[in-house]
Each structure stands twice: as structure tokens, then as C-alpha cells.
Amino acid sequence: MNESTTMQPTAVNPNKALWEKGDFTRIAETMRESGAALVEKLGITSGMDVLDLGCGDGTTAIPEARLGANVLGVDIAGNLVAAANKRIQEEGLTNITVREGDATNLEGIPDESFDLVVSIFGAMFAPKPFDVAKEMVRVTRRGGRIVMGNWIPNDPTLVAQILKISATYTPPPPEGFVSPMLWGVESHIIDRFGKAGIPPENISFERDTYIFMATFSPAELVERFKNYYGPTMNAFEAAEKEGRAADLQRELEELFNRENRSGDANSTSIPATFLRVTVRR
């Protein structure tokens, strides 16, 4: 008698699939200078224990390590974790580790492990925002801080507009979907951290600017978003099916050219406003 085993398919994590799509490192290359400049504002000192959540290929995690912090980077995308570890090895840094993980459930990380938890345009894209806030608070030491950088809904600058334009070309999100852009709304942030035990007076907000810089044209940067950035890739796939890909291309190129501040059509310097959130534990 032959026996067979039925293999159950592994459920696909849509958030993991989104960020493993394409190659976000091609976008991150234009974010290095602003990442390092932002880290300089965080008051990091040698020996500080820092968690960088949604760290990608290390845009802020590696500068944190350069300042002498003991850094753990966590990202849901396996390809970005591999890219981060390659960069770490190339720099010879020994005080930083990057591994796969989910911001909604930081398995294996003990309570109150970090002096500082940083998430710049990372944890805001995870589902279950109340779980994300709870986990960030849980792993932060008393007296420590959480710093988030979050894009702001309907902001007129680059990234909010990329996401807004892309959304008009994609099918409606599934029922129960919570927009990541709500992490850019102060009342939602106060509510989420409030449910995790943080009083409103321990949360502060500041508008800050991130600059995408490249030695190539805004049109080339559009191509990078089109080919390597998950949300934009999805928008182009949907637009192609509707015969609207050229319209999406035109809208994005107009946006990028309009926002370029380099003064040179063959180089790019595009500012994007974000909300810097500081939570004191």
C-alpha cells in the first residue's frame, strides 16, 4: 500500500511579498545622505542599544552603528536583510546585526532590551498598527525612546504623492486594510501608543525633510521606482492591464521633475516632508 503525504501550502505574507518584490536597494541608494543626517539628530552615543525596525538595507542602521551603538536591524524582506549584511561586511562593522523579523511580533526579543527604537519609513508599512506600537513599547527600556519617521497623507511632497498617484491606478485594498499613511496623523499615533500605555504628553511631533539625491535625472529615478519599488510596481502592473501605464508614467515624471531642486535636469535632489515622532517610555 502506497502512502502519500499531503503538503499544506505555506500562507503568503502579503507585506513580506510586497517588500521582497523588486529591489528596494536601488531606491535606498538615493536615501543614504539624508539617512545619515537624520541619525545625527537622534543623540546616539557609543554603547547605546538600538533597534532599527524595518531597516531595509541599513540606511539608518549602519550610520547608527558607525556612531558606536550596538544595533539590531530587523526587516521583513529577506533580500533586504541579505543586502544589509553585505554592506555591514564590506564596512567591517562588528557592532550591528540584521535579521528577518516582523514588526507586529518581535519574536525572540526580550522586554525592555533597547535604549532607542528607530523606524524610518519602515514599521509604518506593517499591518496591525496597534500591535506594532505595542511591540515597540515592549522592547524599549523605561526611560528610553522610540523615534519614527512617517510619511504624511495628502502631503504635497514626493513620497506621499507617489503613493497617492499609485493608489489611483490600483484596485481597492481588501476589506479591513488600514492605510500605512495613518501613521502620519497625530491623533492616530496618540491612540496607538496610548493603547500601549504611553500617555499623550510623552509623544512629540516635528515635521522634518528627507532628500532623495542622485547623480542622474528625475526621469531615471522614476524608472527605479517603476522597476524596483513594490507599491509602484503593483501600480504599473494594474495600469498596464487597463491600458493606462503611459498615464501613470506621465504623472510620475511630471511630479519628479516639478519637485526636483537640483537646478540640473541630469541630477536629482527632491525633498519629501515627513512626520518625526518621538515617544518617551
Side-chain angles (χ1 to χ4, degrees):
M1 186 169 114
N2 293 326
E3 293 184 0
S4 62
T5 304
T6 303
M7 300 295 291
Q8 295 297 321
T10 304
V12 174
N13 180 325
N15 194 44
K16 182 177 173 67
L18 176 67
W19 297 107
E20 288 184 345
K21 189 169 188 165
D23 180 5
F24 185 73
T25 64
R26 301 295 296 275
I27 311 295
E29 288 167 0
T30 70
M31 302 173 72
R32 303 282 188 234
E33 285 190 40
S34 274
L38 177 54
V39 167
E40 290 285 346
K41 301 176 184 177
L42 300 183
I44 291 172
T45 55
S46 184
M48 184 180 282
D49 294 322
V50 176
L51 171 65
D52 197 303
L53 193 53
C55 65
D57 71 343
T59 299
T60 53
I62 287 174
E64 289 154 9
R66 289 183 193 136
L67 291 175
N70 303 310
V71 181
L72 172 63
V74 172
D75 200 278
I76 199 163
N79 57 336
L80 298 182
V81 169
N85 282 313
K86 183 173 183 241
R87 291 186 66 211
I88 290 163
Q89 187 175 25
E90 287 170 352
E91 289 209 24
L93 294 167
T94 58
N95 56 329
I96 175 171
T97 303
V98 175
R99 70 188 198 207
E100 279 190 54
D102 188 332
T104 66
N105 180 12
L106 296 171
E107 273 187 295
I109 298 180
D111 296 356
E112 301 188 19
S113 295
F114 297 97
D115 304 302
L116 175 64
V117 173
V118 177
S119 190
I120 308 302
F121 323 130
M124 69 170 288
F125 289 101
K128 303 179 184 173
F130 286 92
D131 289 355
V132 171
K134 182 180 175 183
E135 282 292 83
M136 286 195 287
V137 170
R138 179 183 69 78
V139 300
T140 304
R141 290 181 181 132
R142 296 192 181 277
R145 290 173 295 144
I146 299 164
V147 176
M148 296 184 77
N150 300 330
W151 302 120
I152 303 165
N154 299 314
D155 185 84
T157 60
L158 185 72
V159 179
Q161 289 301 308
I162 293 172
L163 295 170
K164 184 178 181 181
I165 290 168
S166 296
T168 65
Y169 288 86
T170 51
E175 189 177 348
F177 173 79
V178 179
S179 171
M181 300 302 284
L182 294 179
W183 273 113
V185 179
E186 293 182 14
S187 59
H188 283 273
I189 294 164
I190 289 168
D191 185 32
R192 290 164 181 181
F193 282 111
K195 296 287 196 302
I198 302 295
E201 60 269 22
N202 284 23
I203 307 171
S204 60
F205 304 97
E206 182 178 346
R207 292 206 169 204
D208 206 340
T209 302
Y210 207 96
I211 301 174
F212 290 78
M213 300 183 72
T215 56
F216 47 77
S217 69
E220 171 59 28
L221 187 54
V222 170
E223 287 302 303
R224 291 201 178 197
F225 273 88
K226 176 181 179 179
N227 294 317
Y228 302 115
Y229 184 61
T232 322
M233 293 171 73
N234 286 347
F236 269 100
E237 287 169 11
E240 192 72 49
K241 291 174 184 172
E242 300 292 325
R244 301 173 65 207
D247 295 336
L248 175 55
Q249 181 90 23
R250 176 184 48 77
E251 280 200 68
L252 290 176
E253 287 189 4
E254 287 175 357
L255 170 67
F256 281 58
N257 284 313
R258 183 173 68 243
E259 294 297 312
N260 186 27
R261 302 292 183 267
S262 73
D264 176 2
N266 294 313
S267 67
T268 303
S269 176
I270 303 181
T273 303
F274 70 96
L275 188 66
R276 179 146 53 95
V277 183
T278 303
V279 178
R280 299 196 175 272
R281 175 83 156 84

